[in-house]
Amino acid sequence: MATKIIDPVTGRKIDERRFSSISRRELLKLTPVMALGAFAIPALQTPLLKKGLAFSDWASARVFRSGHLAQTFSDGEVTPFNKFPINDYDVDDPGVIFENWTLTVTGAVQKPGDYTLAQVQALPRYRQNTRHVCVEGWDVIGRFGGARLSDFLNMIGADPTAKYITVACADDYYESLDMATARHPQTLLCYEMYDQPLTREHGAPLRLTVPTKIGYKQAKYLTDLKVSHVLDKVGYWEDQGYSEFYGL
Amino acid sequence: MSTAVEIVQNSKDAESIPVARAVYEHPLIVRLCHWINAISLFVMVGSGLQIFRAFPSFGAKIPQQDLVHWPRSLAIGGWLGGALQWHLTFMWIYLGSGLVYVAYQLFSGHYRQVLFTHKDARGVWPMARHYFFFGPKPLQREAYNPLQKQAYTAAILLGALSALSGFAIWKPVQFSWLAWFFGGFHWARLVHFIVMWAMLGFVFGHLVMVILHGWNNFVSMLTGWKKDPEY
């Protein structure tokens, strides 16, 4: 059993019992690791994960840059229209009656009321080929056209100190955007895809396209838009437990 | 770097006969980071596989060709939203323990025990020959042999890659330079997946070695002290 000490400078003799007590003390110093066990306790798990997700959202908001544009692509890189997935939580076509359609604007704005599609289309039109990333992991590059949401917010006289916009949809879907994202130059009130009027399955007559956000933020079949200082409704998937900010 | 002690049967006797020698191999910060990182890696892999289940492919959405149908029972989170909660929570713990570890190793100089350098290159093959082809066991001169250093250094690089590719697919717009580095969102997602399997390969080899090298070696990652080291 006996071995010689290789390093005589640091080598010293200690009692076997003392070695055991040192070892035990060192082992006890690892108890902070046990704190992770809190995640295994059902009563604590949900609030802890909620905190973790909220922290990630906070970090997401911190790294968001208003002037940083999402990558745009050449027409050749765009996913063909028939390979652009039709995604919804309920129905492909909620049966919007176009003749009666308006976007109802409420909240912290100077000019609330019902806005027609023609009023949205009268704003400068922007077309962009941007990536649409689904929370599931797939992505497509689409061609979107519409008015900048920031132009629309200026038109309705949105309170510059307001923090959020929320939208409601014909299929009872609902979503929200932080104001920095809402005013991002690539955030569009979209009424065109692939240079054609929006089809019913893709959200006619008006949808959001937000290349700096995850797919579920790009609400379709818009009916209502509200400008607010506090967020009373976040979003359909967010209420199921998905990230509230989910910026890309 | 490591403190060595001689363990004797009775300290009152100045001429006590040594019964064993022990060396302090793993400082407390290293041990804490090791276990916190091990747990968070487990959660990251489990929740990552559940996220992967939502779109188990690296091709187009239409038509979708699934690579593999990973069983839900071998994943964490139960559903996509749940798995994302685990993934986006534990990524900070995983990242934090990794960064604290690397910073500590660098500033303490302890990295010399782990870092694989050109001097270790010649020792890799004799070690591999010993483990896999019943070759003679090379003389152990320090805490980690060249093959170990190679494995641990690779694991640290994989850890860095997993975090960087993860940030590239979490923030492909804000960290567009990172996504570009990996060849775009699509490739970054594939790299993230491959790095996970490489990491699991390391963990498998690591666990086999831990089992082969016995109790004293295992205990050293708990108490810091390794009894009867081979060097």
Side-chain angles (χ1 to χ4, degrees):
Chain A
M1 278 291 264
T3 46
K4 73 178 171 51
I5 302 166
I6 290 177
D7 183 356
V9 181
T10 54
R12 55 202 165 89
K13 293 184 178 185
I14 58 165
D15 188 276
E16 252 185 308
R17 234 195 267 144
R18 174 141 171 71
F19 181 73
S20 300
S21 93
I22 290 174
S23 297
R24 230 183 346 261
R25 204 176 325 139
E26 289 297 325
L27 180 64
L28 285 174
K29 287 180 188 168
L30 289 186
T31 40
V33 178
M34 308 265 281
L36 287 179
F39 282 93
I41 301 169
L44 295 177
Q45 194 180 84
T46 309
L48 279 173
L49 291 177
K50 209 174 170 184
K51 280 225 158 64
L53 193 63
F55 178 75
S56 284
D57 277 348
W58 172 82
S60 288
R62 292 302 297 263
V63 299
F64 177 81
R65 288 167 291 160
S66 305
H68 181 74
L69 297 182
Q71 190 184 357
T72 52
F73 300 86
S74 70
D75 290 343
E77 292 171 290
V78 170
T79 307
F81 182 67
N82 60 354
K83 294 194 172 175
F84 193 105
I86 293 161
N87 232 29
D88 46 66
Y89 87 110
D90 188 16
V91 288
D92 283 354
D93 177 9
V96 177
I97 301 163
F98 293 151
E99 296 78 58
N100 303 340
W101 184 90
T102 55
L103 185 65
T104 305
V105 172
T106 55
V109 296
Q110 287 165 359
K111 292 176 250 177
D114 293 340
Y115 288 81
T116 63
L117 190 59
Q119 281 174 292
V120 176
Q121 288 174 334
L123 293 167
R125 177 170 57 194
Y126 293 88
R127 284 171 168 157
Q128 59 196 27
N129 300 340
T130 49
R131 194 193 298 277
H132 175 102
V133 180
C134 180
V135 68
E136 291 175 338
W138 52 264
D139 66 289
V140 282
I141 295 163
R143 180 162 175 77
F144 305 91
R148 280 182 178 168
L149 180 55
S150 62
D151 287 344
F152 185 76
L153 291 172
N154 291 339
M155 182 171 84
I156 61 178
D159 184 342
T161 66
K163 289 204 171 88
Y164 304 97
I165 71 128
T166 47
V167 292
C169 309
D171 60 349
D172 292 335
Y173 194 73
Y174 51 101
E175 255 306 337
S176 63
L177 293 175
D178 52 286
M179 195 52 83
T181 303
R183 289 196 175 274
H184 186 272
Q186 290 173 311
T187 300
L188 303 184
L189 282 174
C190 166
Y191 47 79
E192 267 184 8
M193 273 175 75
Y194 295 78
D195 300 330
Q196 299 295 317
L198 214 51
T199 60
R200 284 183 174 271
E201 295 77 21
H202 285 295
L206 197 64
R207 71 174 299 178
L208 282 174
T209 180
V210 194
T212 56
K213 289 282 196 199
I214 198 74
Y216 59 74
K217 288 274 183 188
Q218 341 265 326
K220 306 197 283 192
Y221 336 105
L222 302 182
T223 56
D224 297 78
L225 186 147
K226 182 180 161 191
V227 177
S228 64
H229 291 87
V230 285
L231 202 52
D232 48 354
K233 267 178 129 183
V234 186
Y236 175 81
W237 289 111
E238 290 86 332
D239 284 349
Q240 319 296 312
Y242 283 89
S243 157
E244 294 186 7
F245 189 87
Y246 220 136
L248 294 177
Chain B
M1 192 180 321
S2 53
T3 314
V5 297
E6 209 175 348
I7 305 165
V8 296
Q9 269 168 335
N10 184 354
S11 62
K12 281 169 196 155
D13 179 4
E15 298 302 313
S16 319
I17 302 156
V19 293
R21 205 175 62 85
V23 287
Y24 189 62
E25 270 190 3
H26 308 299
L28 178 63
I29 296 181
V30 170
R31 282 177 283 142
L32 281 172
C33 288
H34 173 272
W35 292 110
I36 292 172
N37 200 254
I39 294 167
S40 54
L41 180 65
F42 178 80
V43 173
M44 290 307 276
V45 170
S47 56
L49 287 166
Q50 179 67 44
I51 294 168
F52 173 70
R53 278 170 46 84
F55 181 59
S57 168
F58 291 95
K61 176 62 182 169
I62 299 175
Q64 181 174 336
Q65 288 192 322
D66 291 350
L67 190 68
V68 60
H69 288 141
W70 191 262
R72 189 197 298 268
S73 52
L74 293 180
I76 293 173
W79 61 297
L80 176 59
L84 280 165
Q85 292 173 359
W86 283 99
H87 213 69
L88 294 176
T89 298
F90 271 77
M91 70 181 205
W92 303 108
I93 301 169
Y94 176 70
L95 183 70
S97 57
L99 288 178
V100 168
Y101 170 81
V102 169
Y104 173 78
Q105 295 289 63
L106 286 179
F107 290 117
S108 68
H110 194 256
Y111 69 88
R112 292 185 196 95
Q113 180 173 308
V114 185
L115 188 68
F116 179 82
T117 66
H118 66 280
K119 288 181 200 137
D120 302 300
R122 288 176 59 192
V124 172
W125 170 241
M127 236 24 249
R129 193 174 50 193
H130 165 65
Y131 280 128
F132 304 111
F133 304 108
F134 306 102
K137 182 160 194 174
L139 189 66
Q140 177 115 358
R141 293 171 197 284
E142 45 188 327
Y144 293 160
N145 68 54
L147 193 65
Q148 269 181 301
K149 286 188 182 181
Q150 192 186 43
Y152 297 151
T153 303
I156 293 162
L157 289 175
L158 285 174
L161 267 181
S162 68
L164 290 173
S165 58
F167 275 109
I169 53 182
W170 186 46
K171 293 273 168 278
V173 174
Q174 303 306 329
F175 301 155
S176 48
W177 51 277
L178 203 53
W180 171 86
F181 172 78
F182 287 107
F185 176 83
H186 245 99
W187 282 98
R189 190 168 167 265
L190 183 59
V191 169
H192 198 60
F193 188 70
I194 291 170
V195 164
M196 177 200 66
W197 287 108
M199 190 68 106
L200 286 178
F202 163 77
V203 170
F204 175 77
H206 183 57
L207 292 179
V208 168
M209 289 300 183
V210 167
I211 291 164
L212 288 179
H213 284 93
W215 182 250
N216 285 347
N217 178 61
F218 172 71
V219 166
S220 71
M221 196 39 93
L222 292 170
T223 67
W225 290 91
K226 184 188 273 179
K227 228 173 167 180
D228 286 326
E230 293 175 25
Y231 54 98

